[in-house]
Amino acid sequence: MKLIQISFLIFISLSITNADQTYKNSFEGYEINSFPDDMMEIDGVFKVESNDEGKKHLQMASEPLTENAVIFGPSIKNSATLEVKVKGFKKRRSFPRFGIGLHGISGFRLRVVPSKKMIELVKNEEPVKTVSFDWNPDKWSILRLKIDYINEKSIIQGWVWNEGSTAPKKPNIKYIHDGTPGQGKASIWGTAYSGKVILFDELSLEYKKSS
């Protein structure tokens, strides 16, 4: 048991390669119905669950009907990239809303809004850029948020595509912000407007070491 725990801690620990660091988590080392002890719930109820094949993921409960979130990993600043798989479910004409974020709960977020057929870049709860997007409820969505801090400007780029498809070469959405992107932990977000759970898996965070 100790060997499994040690192997799991190594798996989710930070791996350092030159000036880059990575954090990865696919929830395989956690007990079913537990909440990961290296994460923090901001709102909502989250727990580790598994599919019929035994593959584990993090499940957000359908209640409360609020903007629920979890933060994880180290506090980061400047350039970073976050990629997460998300599975939402619709119910009749009701749709979920979900996203990922960098640099704390007030940082930039990439958010999928199926009810409006769009994706958004959000800052301090306000959309700063929107583009049209057709969400496929039958597939896992892969979200990637990349922020580059260069010459006192933050270049925020977002990609969204279906699992099994090739990631777009160009970002779906892009925005330039004057100043730094802030500092804080990475995050995942969900609002269960459809009354159904939202699933998260294969978290991958890459960022520069703080100087």
Side-chain angles (χ1 to χ4, degrees):
M1 183 66 180
K2 286 186 177 180
L3 181 59
I4 294 174
Q5 291 177 336
I6 292 170
S7 299
F8 173 60
L9 288 173
I10 292 172
F11 174 73
I12 67 170
S13 66
L14 302 181
S15 60
I16 303 175
T17 306
N18 296 327
D20 294 324
Q21 295 188 1
T22 62
Y23 169 100
K24 294 181 181 291
N25 199 339
S26 59
F27 305 102
E28 293 302 326
Y30 299 102
E31 296 291 334
I32 296 294
N33 292 323
S34 70
F35 179 74
D37 56 8
D38 61 327
M39 295 181 163
M40 179 183 295
E41 289 174 323
I42 301 302
D43 249 324
V45 179
F46 294 77
K47 64 178 179 179
V48 175
E49 283 287 0
S50 65
N51 61 17
D52 293 339
E53 289 75 41
K55 176 70 175 71
K56 294 181 181 178
H57 52 257
L58 188 66
Q59 176 178 292
M60 188 198 85
S62 58
E63 294 181 345
L65 188 57
T66 57
E67 188 84 6
N68 302 319
V70 166
I71 59 175
F72 57 92
S75 179
I76 58 176
K77 61 181 180 179
N78 300 332
S79 299
T81 302
L82 174 63
E83 186 171 300
V84 180
K85 281 175 49 176
V86 187
K87 182 74 171 73
F89 303 87
K90 71 174 185 177
K91 183 178 180 181
R92 301 186 185 92
R93 296 183 180 180
S94 298
F95 299 87
R97 186 175 72 182
F98 51 86
I100 61 176
L102 287 168
H103 304 105
I105 59 175
S106 297
F108 283 98
R109 273 184 256 161
L110 171 64
R111 187 162 69 185
V112 180
V113 189
S115 63
K116 297 181 179 179
K117 294 186 176 182
M118 66 173 54
I119 56 178
E120 305 173 326
L121 288 174
V122 179
K123 173 70 170 173
N124 291 323
E125 306 298 333
E126 294 295 329
V128 296
K129 183 77 174 285
T130 62
V131 298
S132 60
F133 179 80
D134 287 324
W135 172 67
N136 186 342
D138 298 322
K139 299 280 189 178
W140 282 80
S141 300
I142 302 176
L143 282 64
R144 180 193 297 157
L145 176 62
K146 186 175 191 287
I147 299 180
D148 292 305
Y149 180 59
I150 304 171
N151 297 328
E152 299 184 354
K153 291 184 181 294
S154 298
I155 303 170
I156 300 97
Q157 301 177 89
W159 291 257
V160 184
W161 69 97
N162 296 324
E163 184 180 31
S165 301
T166 302
K169 292 184 178 180
K170 295 183 179 180
N172 300 81
I173 191 168
K174 182 176 180 179
Y175 177 77
I176 298 177
H177 167 74
D178 290 327
T180 71
Q183 181 171 354
K185 294 177 178 287
S187 55
I188 52 177
W189 299 78
T191 307
Y193 288 126
S194 63
K196 293 181 176 290
V197 300
I198 299 175
L199 314 179
F200 301 87
D201 199 7
E202 297 183 11
L203 282 54
S204 177
L205 172 66
E206 298 180 355
Y207 62 100
K208 298 292 184 182
K209 290 195 301 183
S210 299
S211 56

